[in-house]
Coordinates of all heavy atoms in Angstrom, one line a residue:
A1 N 5.8 -14.1 10.5 CA 4.5 -13.7 9.8 C 4.4 -12.3 9.4 O 4.0 -12.0 8.2 CB 3.3 -14.1 10.7
E2 N 4.8 -11.3 10.2 CA 4.7 -10.0 9.8 C 5.6 -9.6 8.6 O 5.2 -8.9 7.7 CB 5.1 -9.0 10.9 CG 4.1 -9.0 12.1 CD 4.4 -8.0 13.1 OE1 5.3 -7.2 12.9 OE2 3.8 -8.1 14.2
R3 N 6.7 -10.2 8.5 CA 7.7 -9.9 7.4 C 7.1 -10.6 6.1 O 7.2 -9.9 5.1 CB 9.1 -10.5 7.8 CG 10.1 -10.3 6.7 CD 11.4 -10.8 7.2 NE 12.5 -10.6 6.2 CZ 13.4 -11.5 5.9 NH1 13.4 -12.7 6.5 NH2 14.3 -11.2 5.0
V4 N 6.6 -11.8 6.2 CA 6.1 -12.5 5.0 C 4.9 -11.8 4.6 O 4.6 -11.6 3.3 CB 5.8 -14.0 5.4 CG1 5.2 -14.6 4.2 CG2 7.1 -14.7 5.7
A5 N 4.0 -11.3 5.5 CA 2.8 -10.6 5.1 C 3.0 -9.4 4.2 O 2.2 -9.1 3.3 CB 2.0 -10.2 6.3
T6 N 4.2 -8.7 4.4 CA 4.5 -7.6 3.5 C 4.6 -7.9 2.0 O 4.3 -7.1 1.2 CB 5.8 -6.9 4.0 OG1 6.9 -7.7 3.8 CG2 5.7 -6.5 5.4
A7 N 5.0 -9.2 1.8 CA 5.1 -9.7 0.4 C 3.8 -9.9 -0.3 O 3.7 -10.1 -1.5 CB 5.9 -10.9 0.3
L8 N 2.7 -9.9 0.5 CA 1.4 -10.1 0.0 C 0.5 -8.8 -0.2 O -0.6 -8.9 -0.6 CB 0.6 -11.1 0.9 CG 1.2 -12.4 1.1 CD1 0.5 -13.2 2.3 CD2 1.1 -13.3 -0.2
E9 N 1.2 -7.7 0.1 CA 0.4 -6.4 0.1 C -0.1 -6.2 -1.3 O 0.6 -6.4 -2.3 CB 1.4 -5.3 0.5 CG 1.7 -5.3 2.0 CD 2.6 -4.2 2.4 OE1 3.1 -3.5 1.5 OE2 2.9 -4.1 3.6
G10 N -1.4 -5.8 -1.4 CA -2.0 -5.4 -2.7 C -2.8 -6.6 -3.3 O -3.5 -6.4 -4.2
L11 N -2.6 -7.8 -2.7 CA -3.3 -9.0 -3.2 C -4.6 -9.2 -2.4 O -4.6 -9.0 -1.2 CB -2.5 -10.3 -3.1 CG -1.3 -10.4 -4.0 CD1 -0.6 -11.7 -3.8 CD2 -1.6 -10.2 -5.5
A12 N -5.7 -9.6 -3.1 CA -7.0 -9.8 -2.4 C -7.1 -11.1 -1.8 O -7.8 -12.0 -2.1 CB -8.1 -9.6 -3.4
V13 N -6.2 -11.3 -0.7 CA -6.2 -12.5 0.0 C -6.5 -12.3 1.5 O -6.3 -11.2 2.0 CB -4.8 -13.3 -0.1 CG1 -4.6 -13.6 -1.6 CG2 -3.7 -12.5 0.4
E14 N -6.9 -13.3 2.2 CA -7.1 -13.2 3.6 C -5.9 -13.9 4.3 O -5.5 -15.0 4.1 CB -8.3 -14.0 4.1 CG -8.5 -13.9 5.6 CD -9.8 -14.7 6.1 OE1 -10.5 -15.2 5.2 OE2 -10.0 -14.7 7.3
V15 N -5.2 -13.1 5.1 CA -4.0 -13.7 5.8 C -4.4 -14.1 7.2 O -5.1 -13.4 8.0 CB -2.9 -12.5 5.9 CG1 -1.8 -13.0 6.8 CG2 -2.4 -12.2 4.6
V16 N -4.0 -15.3 7.5 CA -4.3 -15.9 8.8 C -2.9 -16.4 9.4 O -2.1 -17.0 8.7 CB -5.2 -17.2 8.7 CG1 -5.4 -17.9 10.0 CG2 -6.5 -16.8 8.1
V17 N -2.8 -16.0 10.7 CA -1.5 -16.4 11.3 C -1.7 -17.6 12.2 O -2.7 -17.6 13.1 CB -1.0 -15.3 12.2 CG1 0.3 -15.7 13.0 CG2 -0.7 -14.0 11.3
N18 N -0.9 -18.6 12.1 CA -1.0 -19.8 12.8 C 0.0 -19.8 14.0 O 1.2 -20.0 13.8 CB -0.7 -21.1 11.9 CG -0.5 -22.3 12.7 OD1 -1.0 -22.4 13.9 ND2 0.2 -23.3 12.1
P19 N -0.5 -19.5 15.2 CA 0.5 -19.4 16.3 C 1.1 -20.7 16.7 O 2.1 -20.8 17.4 CB -0.4 -18.9 17.4 CG -1.8 -19.4 17.1 CD -1.9 -19.3 15.6
A20 N 0.6 -21.9 16.2 CA 1.1 -23.2 16.4 C 1.9 -23.7 15.2 O 2.0 -24.9 15.1 CB 0.0 -24.2 16.8
H21 N 2.5 -22.8 14.4 CA 3.2 -23.3 13.3 C 4.4 -24.3 13.5 O 4.7 -25.0 12.7 CB 3.6 -22.1 12.4 CG 4.7 -21.3 13.0 ND1 4.4 -20.2 13.9 CD2 6.0 -21.3 12.9 CE1 5.6 -19.7 14.3 NE2 6.5 -20.4 13.8
R22 N 4.9 -24.1 14.7 CA 6.1 -25.0 15.0 C 5.6 -26.5 15.1 O 6.4 -27.4 15.1 CB 6.7 -24.6 16.3 CG 7.5 -23.2 16.2 CD 8.0 -22.8 17.5 NE 8.8 -21.6 17.4 CZ 10.0 -21.4 17.1 NH1 10.7 -22.5 16.8 NH2 10.6 -20.3 17.0
K23 N 4.3 -26.7 15.3 CA 3.8 -28.1 15.4 C 3.7 -28.8 14.1 O 3.3 -29.9 14.0 CB 2.5 -28.1 16.1 CG 2.6 -27.6 17.6 CD 1.2 -27.7 18.3 CE 1.3 -27.3 19.8 NZ 2.2 -28.2 20.5
G24 N 3.9 -28.0 12.9 CA 3.8 -28.7 11.7 C 2.6 -28.2 10.8 O 1.8 -27.4 11.2

């Protein structure tokens, strides 16, 4: 998540991290 979030820098989006992402 932290690595991917860097690709969104400067965009007016809300980033949410799903701690259960392995569940699908």
Side-chain angles (χ1 to χ4, degrees):
E2 290 187 10
R3 185 177 179 221
V4 176
T6 63
L8 298 169
E9 291 178 355
L11 292 181
V13 299
E14 178 182 358
V15 174
V16 176
V17 177
N18 169 21
H21 67 274
R22 291 178 181 273
K23 295 184 180 296

